[in-house]
């Protein structure tokens, strides 16, 4: 089970409302080294507000989490004919397994941001994670 500490979450600038809700849920008034399961955060806050907790995982989790985020946003690609968002996800997947450079990821993210619409933003976010 993946966990993350309250200190690690706080260091990654969570949204204020969700942060306070999580602290109250844990019976806390401030961050400490209490480990909280990611599934508990998801159940409490929902996917939209819980995604910031993923940033607090240790660096060795970056690749698996990036792949998970790509899997979560990939279905949104059906809502656009623009190839840039899907291309961004492809680069993000390659980056997650060490087959793309930071420069390639940055360029793909910029291309997705330049594309119009919410789907492009989703792809850019997945790449930026």
């Amino acid at each position: 089970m993946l966990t993350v500490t309250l200190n690690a979450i706080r260091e990654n600038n969570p949204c204020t409302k969700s942060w306070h809700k999580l602290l109250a849920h844990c019976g806390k008034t401030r961050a400490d080294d209490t480990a909280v399961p990611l599934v508990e955060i998801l159940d409490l806050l929902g996917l939209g507000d819980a995604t910031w907790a993923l940033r607090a995982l240790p660096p060795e989790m970056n690749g698996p989490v990036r792949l998970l985020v790509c899997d979560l946003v990939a279905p949104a690609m059906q809502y656009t004919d623009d190839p840039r968002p899907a291309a961004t996800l492809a680069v993000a997947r390659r980056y997650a397994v060490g087959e793309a450079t930071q420069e390639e990821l940055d360029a793909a993210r910029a291309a997705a941001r330049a594309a119009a619409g919410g789907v492009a933003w989703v792809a850019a976010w997945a790449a930026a994670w």
Side-chain angles (χ1 to χ4, degrees), residues 78-99:
Q78 68 181 317
Y79 298 108
T80 183
D81 292 331
D82 189 328
R84 293 175 290 184
T88 299
L89 286 184
V91 173
R93 288 180 191 280
R94 289 190 309 108
Y95 183 82
V97 297
E99 295 176 358

Side-chain angles (χ1 to χ4, degrees), residues 13-38:
N13 303 311
C15 88
T16 303
K17 183 179 177 182
S18 294
W19 171 243
H20 290 294
K21 186 174 181 178
L22 179 60
L23 284 177
H25 172 78
C26 293
K28 306 286 183 176
T29 57
R30 61 185 165 165
D32 62 16
D33 285 327
T34 298
V36 183
L38 284 174

